[in-house]
Every structure is written in structure tokens, then in C-alpha cells.
Amino acid sequence: MASTERDEELVARVRGGDQTAMAEFLEQRRPQLLAFIHKNLSDAMRRKVDPEDLAQDVHMECVRALPDVDLEQRDPFNWACQVAERRIIDAHRHYFGAQKRDAARELPLGSPGGDTGQAGLINLLVASMTSPSQAFSRDQKEFRLLQAIQSLPQEN
């Protein structure tokens, strides 16, 4: 059997949901997958993540997810590259997005760059919990309450 026929048969088995065939398919295309990962990793990410480890993660994810994916009209290698892109994005978020939440970067209230007043803290808390539609609704309720109070008879 010629190499092209074996490749076509392997792709057909992958499209049929054969996880063993998917593992074999990815192993055959490991150099291309690694090249794709290397091309899409920044220098900073290469210092944090080993491309070989990322390729192994992609390999395992593709084999695991194969039964849930329809590859009838898709190229299995392109799908593997999409999985690799998602893994790269996830790794970037993990290593670089976490810096935004780094405890060492927090500023206590009253410090330079922090809010100094109690009203500022209250406004910050209210703003973080109130959506624009909730604020509008609250303002409308306050307006109706003020109108009702003004329509009450005066005490003598």
C-alpha cells in the first residue's frame, strides 16, 4: 500500500472517531505541529512553556476530544492547530494574565495611588456591584419615592 493511500486511510479512521488513529496521525505530524507551536509562541512564552510539553498537551487533548468533534468536513491537522492555538492562549493567560492579580501589586487604601476617602470606597463598591440598568432602576424608584413624599399633606 502506498504512503498516500495509508495517509488517506488514517485520515478516514480519524474522521470516523478512532482515537488510536488520531494518536498515530498526530505522531506522524509531530514535526509540523511543533513548527506551528514554535511559530506562534512569543520569546517570553518560550521561557515559561516548553514547546514539546505544549505539543504533548495538544496531542492528549485531541485524542480525548475526538469523539465530540465532527471532522467530516475539516482537516484533522488544522483542528489540531486550533487546539494548539487555544493552549497557547491559555498558557499566556496563566502566566501573564495572573500578573494583574499579583498580591504584590495591590495598593492599600490611603496609600499613594489608592483612594483616601470613605466615600470613594463606597462609590467603588457600589460601582462594582451596580449595573447601569440597576442604577437607572434605583434612580427611578428614588424619584417616585420623592414624588410620593412631596404629595403627602403637611403636618400641623
Side-chain angles (χ1 to χ4, degrees):
M1 185 181 295
S3 175
T4 308
E5 289 175 8
R6 281 195 306 264
D7 288 345
E8 289 174 7
E9 179 189 320
L10 185 60
V11 169
R13 288 178 39 218
V14 167
R15 287 185 172 145
D18 184 342
Q19 290 175 305
T20 304
M22 186 70 197
E24 185 180 334
F25 175 85
L26 289 171
E27 195 55 43
Q28 285 180 358
R29 286 160 181 80
R30 189 172 185 82
Q32 293 93 332
L33 184 61
L34 272 171
F36 177 85
I37 290 170
H38 275 285
K39 183 184 97 170
N40 287 290
L41 276 181
S42 66
D43 290 335
M45 278 302 298
R46 276 193 202 94
R47 288 189 292 272
K48 301 281 186 184
V49 177
D50 182 24
E52 290 282 341
D53 290 343
L54 202 55
Q56 186 64 32
D57 287 345
V58 170
H59 186 110
M60 290 186 317
E61 176 65 19
C62 287
V63 170
R64 184 201 63 74
L66 183 63
D68 301 325
V69 177
D70 180 14
L71 294 177
E72 282 299 317
Q73 302 299 319
R74 295 176 69 186
D75 177 40
F77 184 74
N78 287 344
W79 173 62
C81 288
Q82 288 176 336
V83 172
E85 281 180 316
R86 285 195 305 269
R87 288 294 181 159
I88 291 168
I89 290 167
D90 290 345
H92 189 274
R93 286 181 183 146
H94 174 76
Y95 288 107
F96 297 104
Q99 290 178 354
K100 296 175 187 171
R101 298 180 301 273
D102 185 3
R105 297 180 69 192
E106 292 179 0
L107 292 173
L109 291 176
S111 69
D115 196 350
T116 57
Q118 184 178 6
L121 176 60
I122 292 170
N123 288 338
L124 177 65
L125 290 172
V126 169
S128 69
M129 295 185 292
T130 306
S131 70
S133 62
Q134 289 171 326
F136 177 79
S137 177
R138 183 190 62 229
D139 290 344
Q140 290 298 310
K141 289 176 186 174
E142 287 177 6
F143 178 74
R144 287 194 306 264
L145 179 61
L146 286 173
Q147 282 182 325
I149 290 172
Q150 290 173 350
S151 69
L152 291 173
Q154 292 286 337
E155 272 188 348
N156 289 334

